[in-house]
Amino acid sequence: MQVEEYLNDIAEREGTVHLTLIDPASQSPEAAAEIAKAAVAGGTDAILIGGSTGAGGVALDQTLIKIKEEVDVPTILFPGNAGGVSTHADAIFFMSLLNSRDINYITTNQVMGAPIVYKSGIEPISMAYIITEPGGTVGWVGDAKLIPRNKPELAAAYSLAGKYLGMHYTYLEAGSGADQPITPETIGAVKHVLGDNKLIVGGGIRDGRTAKICADAGADMIVTGTIVEETDDVKKKIEEIVSAIKK
Ligand code: 1GP
């Protein structure tokens, strides 16, 4: 089954998808594979692989190879730039940072990466990427004109533009390690205009309660990354979040 269909099917049947983000720059490929294995045991639906800095090249390829030896769920690239493409993944979030001030993050990296994706046969999943305050490293690197936390209508307008441009998914990002996730008001306003188009929410989600607030507000998919790097028990932590967001 295609990865996009796999994710959409889970969103329909189980209410919400859980995605575990692993940054290849944060640990060895072997350690990343152990995290992925524990996250899958905890109920995560797919592994996202990417990061804003140092997340390409040999580290990315080796991390994917080791993860695929340990888990059967799809591996999806979440690239910070064209260097975040690897032929070892199953799919790629083929994304444009809609609120960047830098054309490199809106179209140029996509132009550089597209021929590699075409030749590799990995599945592109078109996605609008929108960063809100506080934005973190990805907001700085991507030169995003951060959407204020109290301006849901701006996030909704960006999301609608992405939908009208034909993007299937919308990713609302608060930045990895954000002190607070996207507000329920913003999530609700965006989901309202997206309708059946899928909404991914990430950044600053650290527990089941917060994940459930985001899911109840309208998120179809929840991404967590920092918690798997910080916790001593990845399986238990992912179980806590997955059990809070699934029907
Ligand atoms: C970052 O949204 C993801 O791109 C995940 O954020 O690391 O805060 O879970 P966290």
Side-chain angles (χ1 to χ4, degrees):
M1 194 194 285
Q2 299 264 300
V3 176
E4 186 170 342
E5 286 170 10
Y6 164 86
L7 296 175
N8 291 350
D9 184 52
I10 293 172
E12 298 304 325
R13 281 189 292 110
E14 301 179 9
T16 316
V17 173
H18 181 263
L19 304 170
T20 295
L21 173 63
I22 296 177
D23 186 340
S26 294
Q27 65 286 296
S28 68
E30 292 75 15
E34 285 306 310
I35 290 172
K37 193 174 164 186
V40 171
T44 201
D45 297 303
I47 306 294
L48 290 189
I49 297 145
S52 301
T53 55
V58 176
L60 175 62
D61 287 338
Q62 288 301 319
T63 297
L64 276 159
I65 289 166
K66 291 291 177 193
I67 287 175
K68 289 188 75 67
E69 284 173 7
E70 293 292 342
V71 305
D72 291 328
V73 300
T75 52
I76 307 168
L77 295 166
F78 181 48
N81 54 52
V85 182
S86 169
T87 57
H88 298 286
D90 299 306
I92 180 168
F93 281 159
F94 201 86
M95 52 208 263
S96 175
L97 175 46
L98 293 187
N99 62 323
S100 177
R101 298 181 184 89
D102 183 344
I103 195 169
N104 284 296
Y105 293 96
I106 304 171
T107 57
T108 312
N109 276 291
Q110 292 75 359
V111 171
M112 299 300 157
I116 307 170
V117 173
Y118 181 74
K119 284 181 192 153
S120 71
I122 59 177
E123 177 186 343
I125 300 175
S126 66
M127 190 169 84
Y129 191 44
I130 300 159
I131 307 180
T132 75
E133 292 176 338
T137 304
V138 70
W140 186 87
V141 171
D143 197 7
K145 189 173 178 183
L146 298 175
I147 294 176
R149 282 179 59 74
N150 62 349
K151 294 288 180 188
E153 67 275 18
L154 290 179
Y158 269 106
S159 303
L160 204 47
K163 178 181 170 180
Y164 290 163
L165 285 165
M167 292 154 175
H168 300 183
Y169 286 5
T170 300
Y171 191 132
L172 277 181
E173 171 75 85
S176 187
D179 52 359
Q180 297 179 79
I182 309 275
T183 67
E185 291 75 17
T186 295
I187 295 170
V190 168
K191 186 58 185 171
H192 180 73
V193 298
L194 286 181
D196 290 337
N197 278 31
K198 296 291 179 273
L199 172 58
I200 305 173
V201 172
I205 299 170
R206 294 183 173 79
D207 53 47
R209 188 182 148 273
T210 313
K212 182 169 167 41
I213 290 170
C214 295
D216 288 349
D220 298 294
M221 306 185 200
I222 297 288
V223 179
T224 58
T226 299
I227 52 166
V228 295
E229 292 176 12
E230 291 180 347
T231 183
D232 295 332
D233 191 337
V234 172
K235 177 171 178 275
K236 190 173 164 203
K237 194 68 194 172
I238 297 297
E239 269 173 354
E240 174 196 325
I241 291 176
V242 167
S243 65
I245 62 173
K246 301 260 186 195
K247 276 182 199 162

